[in-house]
Amino acid sequence: MRAQHSGNRIIALLLGVAAFAASGCALADPPTRVARVGYLAGNVSFSPAGENDWVQARLNRPLTTGDRLWADRASSVELQVGGAVIRMGESTSLTLLNLDDNVAQVQLDQGTLNVRVRQLGSRQSVEVATPNLAFTTRRAGSYRIEVDPMDDATAIVVRSGQGEVYGERAAYAVDSRQAYRFAGTGLRSYEYIAAPRANEFERWASDRDRRAESSASARYVSRDLIGYEDLDANGTWRNERGYGNVWVPTRVSADWTPYRDGHWAWVHPWGWTWVDDAPWGFAVSHYGRWANFGGRWAWVPGPARSPAVYAPALVAFVGGSNFQLSISSGNVAGVAWFPLGPREVYRPSYPVSRGYFDNVNRSNTTVTNTTITNVYNNRNVTNVYANRQVQGAVVAVPATAFVQSQPVSRAAVRLSRETAASAPISAVAAVAPVQQSVRGGAPPVASPPAGSPARASERRVVVRSAPPAARAGFAAQERELAAKPGTPLAPAASAALKPAAPVPAPNVVVAAPPKSAPPSALPPANAPDGKPSARDRRDERRADTKPAAAPVAPPPATPAQPAAPAAAKPAPLPAQAAPAQAAPAQAAPVSPAGQPQRDEKAAKGERQRDRERGVKGDQAGKGDQPAKPAATPPAPPAAPAQPAPAAQPKPVAVPPQTAPAQAAPAAPAPAKPAPVPPQAAPVQAAPPAAAAQPQRDEKGAKGERQRDREQGGKGDQGTKGDQPAKPAAPPAAPAPAKPAAIPPQAAPVQAAPPAAAKPAPEAAPAKPQPAPVTPKPEPAPVPVKPAPPPPPPPVKPVPAPAPVPTPVPAPPKPEPAPAAKQAPMAPPGAAPQSPPKPTPDAGKQDDGKSDKQKREEAAAKKKREEAAAKKGDEQPAREEEKKK
């Protein structure tokens, strides 16, 4: 029986604890912090939560969830929220979506915010919801958020600290000294921007920050106590025995009394709330206690290490529902109050839990746990209020002035000491509020405020966490509040009310980031939708102004063919490892006069002009600063360069009727060009300055002449009959040399001027190069029959020095047309060049004497053999001279 009885007692005890906990949770304590209007400049409008009316904003007005603010042109506002400060620039619309102990969530419809976070608790955050994204602060720092309603974009500038941006199914981290501009709602379109310089608004914000950080009052109070920085310039700190550090106001009259210069307003969920008129009056009205030392008032703060808990007014009310005041017109209902002193318990007029009751008292004064428990349980406790006996401490006004939020100092009625001492004490001002109580007695303004867009706060915004639902306005609560005068509705009862009229409700879309840890990755260089950031676009524009590596592809009908060696400084071969069918990426040349790069169209036009002139292989001028070769056809794969011991390396003879085959590297012996097809015409030098084509440098010219010697004058063999070749002027002062021994039907090949051979030693560091891989010829070569040598063009040919070639038997019975496309091996150290495009009439002369060439073939062959023999006598001497 005893065991059963003990078990029943335990069960009953547990049920009681559970019921107590459930009752405490059901009370839904109000937040321990609010937002204070700490600074006003210009035209600032305010609309209470659940109301459609706009009134002038008042200094020190406490703001809570659902309140709205509008800063007009040339206006600014400062909101203080615990360890954070939110400042509004001009033409800015802001709504408090949610404000509790952990979250300060504001909606920025348009304009600019400067957010300064001094300190954040482990679970605290500041969130700014905009039409494009939700930005949350991760650590203390300085942030700038700007919403441009016309451009539908939001700019985030992190001066210091770190934050996070959340969009629809996307989230990024933003580090210190970074700035981004986002469009849309999915974070898929954005750009990296340069952090703008601090403007006048930000400089003002920085001055306010320095003022708070250097405040001497921060040594005596908690850092999250709102308004402590305003105490420095309006009073002094001193140490009072038995009380510790106290603050004494210095800019007040001799008969000044706390809670006299200001007005009362009805603020949900706290009820009657004191709004002080003094710039420093917020901290001393909602935190701490007041004490009178020798006729002078001093403010006694709570413990500096305890988190500050906001209270609407730390006072005790005198009288009750039947309290009367005697005025000139007779007796009227009145309300009176006095400030609580140190170690006196504050009893809220709104329903709270036991935990909140403890915190709001321990954070604001030094009081024992026993006293707090006895007062909370309404036990027989005799409260002796020290300030009730102080002369002038009790302030009384008529009830009408109280509910109309009129200035107390003008409506105050003097009470006798006997009346103040005999009247009962109450925790509630038993007066029902009216509509004017919610507005705080402020004069109305236009709705919406002048200059603001209509229904700006109704724009849809992106939030990270869903805010609480909009509550009903005062009209829906008026009947319930009148039933219990002075007592606010519980949050659950207020939420169950239906609005009497449409009320402003937040239009939000909740961001759905991936279910993972907070974002740590920065926005990528390119936006997810493929749009480059502003930084990337600037880089692209900067790259466009520089010579870009743009490959110039050969015409489709021209097979890839390596170019002849150049006697001048060798050009780089970036594409030698590429396959023969692909065009390498090589920077296009720039002419000495700042000529832009040649594109594919220019390259094709140049090759067409080469075919018209019939002097492709040797048409470079003698400019002081010749340009680089234009086209860069693909080179055989894995073909390292081989140094050339002399200006004229030894090419490998390739039969004209087949594609170029892979051959061994050229030996450093005296170069001997391959036989020239019998249809080739004499190679002529280009005029010094060609008006129809870009200049080529001496290296390109010499490389083409070498290729012509390898091909036996092929570069000058094909011009269409209806387009006769243009005459080309001979180069200035060419060095005479014996023509190379070539087949009888080919004209002598001219060599480059002596000046072009000076830069030849620069090609020495190149590595040995194996023979090129045979490219796929297009079209297939067709054997051509021997033809008599063509007559020279109408310009005076200049014999050019060339190495003595070893006579090679001519290919058997070549056909006249079309000319076979040959691709001789690229000599060591030479830059690849675009091959001349074959023409169908390559075997015919411009004057149509192809048959005559055939008849004179024997005579031409004999002449070339004699010229080759004569030149062979002089070749060794020339080679030795070049080596030296």
Side-chain angles (χ1 to χ4, degrees), residues 393-414:
V394 181
V395 181
V397 295
T400 54
F402 186 90
V403 299
Q404 294 292 333
S405 300
Q406 296 180 8
V408 169
S409 58
R410 294 203 299 260
V413 176
R414 186 179 181 87

Side-chain angles (χ1 to χ4, degrees), residues 268 469-473 475-477 480 489-500:
H268 182 85
R471 60 182 175 84
Q477 306 178 43
E480 284 74 11
L489 296 180
S494 177
L497 295 175
K498 295 183 178 179

Side-chain angles (χ1 to χ4, degrees), residues 23 65 137 165 183 207 217 236 243 259 264-265 319 360 381 400 414 424 435 447 470 496 595 613 688 716 762 774 820:
S23 64
T65 301
T137 61
V165 289
D207 291 341
S217 300
T236 58
Y243 294 92
Y259 297 100
W264 291 91
V360 75
V381 178
T400 54
R414 186 179 181 87
Q435 186 71 45
S447 179
Q595 179 177 329
R613 296 184 179 187
D716 211 15
E762 297 184 10
T774 304

Side-chain angles (χ1 to χ4, degrees), residues 47-224:
S47 179
E51 306 297 325
N52 291 308
D53 299 331
W54 289 84
V55 298
Q56 291 183 4
R58 294 285 186 89
L59 188 69
N60 290 329
R61 165 79 188 209
L63 302 183
T64 185
T65 301
D67 292 344
R68 295 177 292 169
L69 282 174
W70 164 257
D72 214 335
R73 296 179 180 177
S75 304
S76 56
V77 191
E78 179 180 280
L79 299 182
Q80 299 170 359
V81 188
V85 181
I86 301 174
R87 299 182 177 93
M88 302 169 54
E90 64 175 358
S91 302
T92 299
S93 174
L94 179 141
T95 302
L96 282 171
L97 293 179
N98 190 14
L99 182 59
D100 57 25
D101 297 347
N102 297 321
V103 178
Q105 185 183 45
V106 300
Q107 171 179 336
L108 177 62
D109 302 295
Q110 72 172 68
T112 306
L113 290 186
N114 177 275
V115 180
R116 177 70 171 92
V117 180
R118 299 172 186 165
Q119 61 180 7
L120 281 177
S122 59
R123 301 174 58 186
Q124 291 181 340
S125 66
V126 178
E127 177 180 339
V128 179
T130 74
N132 305 104
L133 54 87
F135 176 77
T136 62
T137 61
R138 180 179 288 184
R139 62 183 62 168
S142 179
Y143 309 88
R144 171 176 170 176
I145 302 95
E146 185 172 358
V147 173
D148 186 352
M150 306 303 296
D151 197 22
D152 189 23
T154 299
I156 304 294
V157 181
V158 179
R159 302 291 189 188
S160 62
Q162 191 180 53
E164 302 163 356
V165 289
Y166 291 86
E168 296 182 17
R169 300 188 180 277
Y172 296 121
V174 183
D175 283 339
S176 178
R177 300 182 181 179
Q178 289 186 345
Y180 291 91
R181 183 179 176 88
F182 296 87
T185 59
L187 304 185
R188 290 181 293 273
S189 179
Y190 59 84
E191 58 179 352
Y192 180 86
I193 60 176
R197 290 186 176 181
N199 53 17
E200 183 179 356
F201 169 66
E202 286 191 287
R203 288 192 293 270
W204 165 76
S206 298
D207 291 341
R208 299 280 297 179
D209 289 335
R210 286 190 292 269
R211 172 175 168 267
E213 291 168 359
S214 60
S215 172
S217 300
R219 293 178 292 180
Y220 308 109
V221 300
S222 174
R223 277 283 185 176
D224 54 1

Side-chain angles (χ1 to χ4, degrees), residues 20-29 353:
F20 178 81
S23 64
C25 295
L27 292 175
D29 296 332
S353 66

